[in-house]
């Protein structure tokens, strides 16, 4: 999907504490999830490393004062350029630093364009000083530092930077201004940032209860719940009645086993077609054993690259990620949602929040009869698995199953 797109360098602009790192992480998580390989480069991290190195290798007497900021930026840019130029899969590099001065940005743009051949997109985060996020730093010292920077700060400007491609986010993303934004990846970034939210929230996920097909190890289809599956549906409802979540929304796949699991939530449940399980095409209704005997080549190809493998007349995990896009953007804004879905689909959704790679995604454990609770704060996501203690078969296919 991104093979034809030109590589891109995103240069962040903004005062300390204006949410740049959070924007960088969120953006990187989203682009990587879509298979657009993205890496963040932050000079501050190089600064820490350089200082540790210096303290180990030199005696302090007679040392002249070093310009640490220049040194750390130079090291960081060296790595960024090397990665973007030499890595075949590299698509987007994000430079997470303040870059408050117009001359400084012009130099960066020229250097990065020339040395990486990438397009440049500036993303500026403009925050009211009272909303600046103070992160583990003494509030007073931080405010003073921000005030000093503010005196010299030159914001991106349509008239003064007429040829720049840029995007300005005001108060995180209450309003957004874009100029000269071109290209598939940049357009995707704008679309995502318009939808992204940075508030704390909680999301819940559950697979449907155990189905008749799960008992027989059969893939796909549209079977009913097993007796234990029915028991889980009622336990799930009881759990959510007990924890009393304000304005709980329930989103479910249209397949029978998911709707039967959501049944007790009655009118609350909203059906999303894109939550349907991965389509196994010609292998629907078969067990792994039968697939390996009837279509050994297919079975081996899937083992080699489970994420990209597409079942004949069916789907790949990548296809599922693509079709989930609308629900992911809704989930960015949502709070207190319970999604009742399927193993492959939930792997794709959870991989986004947990930052799993495309290699890890198809093997993530999403056990039956458990609630997976994701708590989000800014860009930190934590997952808790709550088993509702009703036994069920395991549907986790081991890697290299050798059937
Ligand atoms: O086919 C349905 C399964 O939920 C997908 O599992 O990708 O591990 O085969 P699998």
């Amino acid at each position: 999907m991104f093979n034809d797109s030109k590589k891109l360098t995103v240069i962040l602009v903004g005062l300390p504490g204006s949410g740049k790192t959070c924007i960088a992480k969120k953006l990187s998580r989203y682009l990587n999830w879509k298979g657009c390989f993205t890496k963040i480069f932050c000079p501050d991290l190089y600064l820490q490393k350089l200082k540790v190195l210096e303290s180990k290798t030199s005696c302090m007497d007679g040392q002249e004062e070093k310009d640490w900021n220049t040194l750390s930026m130079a090291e960081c840019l060296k790595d960024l350029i090397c990665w973007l130029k030499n890595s075949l899969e590299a698509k987007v590099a994000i430079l997470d630093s303040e870059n408050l001065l117009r001359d400084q940005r012009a130099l960066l743009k020229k250097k990065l364009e020339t040395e990486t051949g990438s397009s440049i997109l500036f993303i500026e985060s403009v925050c009211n000083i009272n909303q600046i996020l103070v992160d583990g730093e003494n509030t007073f010292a931080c405010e003073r530092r921000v005030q000093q920077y503010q005196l010299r700060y030159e914001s991106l400007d349509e008239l003064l930077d007429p040829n720049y491609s840029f995007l300005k986010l005001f108060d995180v993303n209450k309003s957004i201004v874009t100029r000269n934004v071109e290209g598939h990846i940049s357009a995707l970034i704008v679309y995502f940032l318009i939808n992204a939210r940075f508030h704390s929230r909680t999301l819940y996920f559950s697979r449907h209860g155990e189905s008749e097909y799960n008992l027989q190890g059969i893939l796909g289809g549209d079977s009913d719940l097993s007796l234990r599956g029915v028991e889980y549906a009622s336990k799930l409802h009881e759990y959510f009645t007990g924890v009393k979540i304000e304005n709980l929304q329930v989103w479910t796949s249209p397949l029978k086993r998911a709707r039967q699991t959501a049944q007790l939530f009655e009118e609350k449940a909203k059906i999303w077609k894109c939550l349907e399980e991965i389509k196994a095409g010609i292998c629907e209704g078969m067990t792994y054993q039968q697939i390996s005997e009837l279509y050994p080549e297919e079975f081996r190809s899937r083992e080699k690259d489970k994420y990209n493998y597409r079942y004949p007349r069916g789907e790949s995990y990548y296809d599922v990620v693509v079709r989930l896009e609308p629900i992911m953007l809704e989930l960015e804004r949502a709070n207190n949602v319970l999604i009742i879905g399927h193993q492959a689909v939930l792997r794709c959704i959870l991989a986004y929040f947990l930052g799993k790679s495309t290699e890890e995604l198809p093997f993530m454990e999403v056990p039956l009869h458990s609630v997976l609770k994701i708590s989000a704060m800014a860009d930190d996501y934590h997952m808790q698995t709550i088993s509702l203690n009703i036994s069920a078969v395991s549907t986790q296919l081991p890697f290299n199953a050798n059937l």
Side-chain angles (χ1 to χ4, degrees):
M1 186 177 180
F2 297 97
N3 290 350
D4 301 331
S5 313
K6 194 172 172 193
K7 294 189 182 195
L8 179 74
T9 305
V10 172
I11 302 178
L12 294 177
V13 176
L15 288 166
S18 57
K20 294 184 303 299
T21 300
C22 190
I23 292 166
K25 284 194 194 165
K26 225 171 164 62
L27 199 53
S28 156
R29 177 189 306 278
Y30 171 71
L31 292 172
N32 279 312
W33 181 74
K34 289 196 62 91
C36 178
F37 291 105
T38 301
K39 199 165 166 184
I40 302 172
F41 294 85
C42 177
D44 278 357
L45 301 180
Y46 288 77
L47 184 68
Q48 289 160 19
K49 276 192 224 151
L50 285 174
K51 284 194 171 172
V52 171
L53 198 69
E54 167 89 358
S55 68
K56 281 189 187 154
T57 55
S58 66
C59 71
M60 299 305 287
D61 294 343
Q63 289 286 310
E64 55 187 71
E65 188 57 31
K66 290 199 164 158
D67 182 351
W68 290 107
N69 290 337
T70 310
L71 283 174
S72 57
M73 178 60 108
E75 285 299 304
C76 178
L77 289 178
K78 215 186 327 171
D79 281 358
L80 185 157
I81 291 164
C82 175
W83 182 73
L84 210 51
K85 248 171 78 173
N86 302 330
S87 159
L88 280 182
E89 59 174 23
K91 274 292 163 200
V92 180
I94 303 178
L95 180 63
D96 176 13
S97 51
E98 278 118 17
N99 310 313
L100 299 175
L101 307 179
R102 183 155 285 110
D103 286 352
Q104 180 193 18
R105 291 195 293 265
L107 285 174
L108 272 176
K109 181 174 182 296
K110 194 166 170 206
K111 181 177 175 67
L112 291 168
E113 266 172 349
T114 323
E115 297 189 33
T116 65
S118 65
S119 307
I120 308 292
L121 172 70
F122 289 94
I123 300 184
E124 180 174 0
S125 174
V126 185
C127 272
N128 178 313
I129 188 143
N130 299 323
Q131 289 172 313
I132 296 274
L133 318 161
V134 180
D135 191 9
E137 211 177 334
N138 170 297
T139 313
F140 181 65
C142 179
E143 273 176 13
R144 280 197 51 186
R145 195 156 69 95
V146 171
Q147 277 161 3
Q148 281 165 7
Y149 276 123
Q150 224 177 10
L151 296 174
R152 300 185 302 139
Y153 182 7
E154 296 163 311
S155 188
L156 285 157
D157 186 285
E158 194 186 344
L159 297 174
L160 298 171
D161 306 301
N163 303 319
Y164 283 22
S165 173
F166 70 82
L167 153 62
K168 279 171 93 156
L169 304 168
F170 293 90
D171 294 333
V172 188
N173 69 352
K174 284 215 176 81
S175 70
I176 294 185
V177 168
T178 63
R179 289 287 177 265
N180 305 322
V181 173
E182 281 172 9
H184 178 197
I185 301 176
S186 296
L188 207 60
I189 289 175
V190 174
Y191 181 53
F192 173 70
L193 289 176
I194 286 173
N195 285 284
R197 293 293 177 275
F198 297 82
H199 56 279
S200 318
R201 63 228 173 79
T202 312
L203 303 168
Y204 301 86
F205 302 87
S206 168
R207 286 176 68 185
H208 53 79
E210 181 189 69
S211 72
E212 294 290 352
Y213 271 16
N214 288 150
L215 285 177
Q216 299 167 61
I218 294 175
L219 305 187
D222 195 12
S223 69
D224 291 306
L225 292 180
S226 70
L227 285 178
R228 293 191 299 202
V230 173
E231 200 186 331
Y232 175 72
S234 107
K235 200 73 186 276
L236 183 69
H237 183 256
E238 199 181 300
Y239 172 81
F240 279 96
T241 311
V243 288
K244 292 196 183 68
I245 290 161
E246 213 181 305
N247 301 323
L248 178 75
Q249 301 177 61
V250 181
W251 299 351
T252 173
S253 140
L255 295 176
K256 266 200 288 181
R257 53 197 186 277
R259 277 192 290 125
Q260 287 170 3
T261 308
Q263 208 165 14
L264 293 170
F265 293 94
E266 294 162 357
E267 76 287 350
K268 267 205 184 93
K270 175 176 170 185
I271 293 174
W272 287 79
K273 173 99 176 116
C274 65
L275 284 176
E276 281 190 357
E277 182 55 310
I278 189 169
K279 302 276 180 299
I282 59 168
C283 299
E284 286 270 321
M286 294 168 74
T287 63
Y288 290 118
Q289 182 73 41
Q290 288 166 337
I291 301 171
S292 71
E293 284 163 13
L294 213 65
Y295 303 114
E297 276 305 312
E298 295 297 330
F299 197 81
R300 273 196 289 278
S301 305
R302 190 163 198 257
E303 267 192 337
K304 271 192 214 134
D305 183 0
K306 196 174 174 192
Y307 181 82
N308 289 302
Y309 170 84
R310 178 177 291 135
Y311 283 106
R313 284 186 250 143
E315 289 178 305
S316 63
Y317 271 90
Y318 174 72
D319 294 332
V320 177
V321 163
V322 170
R323 79 157 133 97
L324 282 171
E325 171 100 28
I327 209 167
M328 296 313 290
L329 295 178
E330 281 295 318
L331 271 182
E332 265 297 319
R333 290 188 289 256
N335 186 22
N336 292 343
V337 172
L338 162 65
I339 292 196
I340 299 176
H342 306 265
Q343 180 168 247
V345 160
L346 293 185
R347 280 176 177 153
C348 293
I349 297 178
L350 294 169
Y352 169 80
F353 293 110
L354 303 176
K356 296 286 180 193
S357 68
T358 52
E359 285 82 27
E360 296 169 296
L361 181 157
F363 300 98
M364 286 171 66
E365 280 209 45
V366 187
L368 282 166
H369 298 179
S370 300
V371 175
L372 306 170
K373 177 177 174 186
I374 296 265
S375 312
M377 241 184 103
D379 192 60
D380 279 331
Y381 296 93
H382 295 285
M383 187 172 89
Q384 189 189 352
T385 305
I386 305 152
S387 164
L388 297 194
N389 295 322
I390 295 172
S391 52
V393 291
S394 166
T395 55
Q396 179 83 7
L397 174 66
F399 189 55
N400 283 331
N402 286 329
L403 294 172

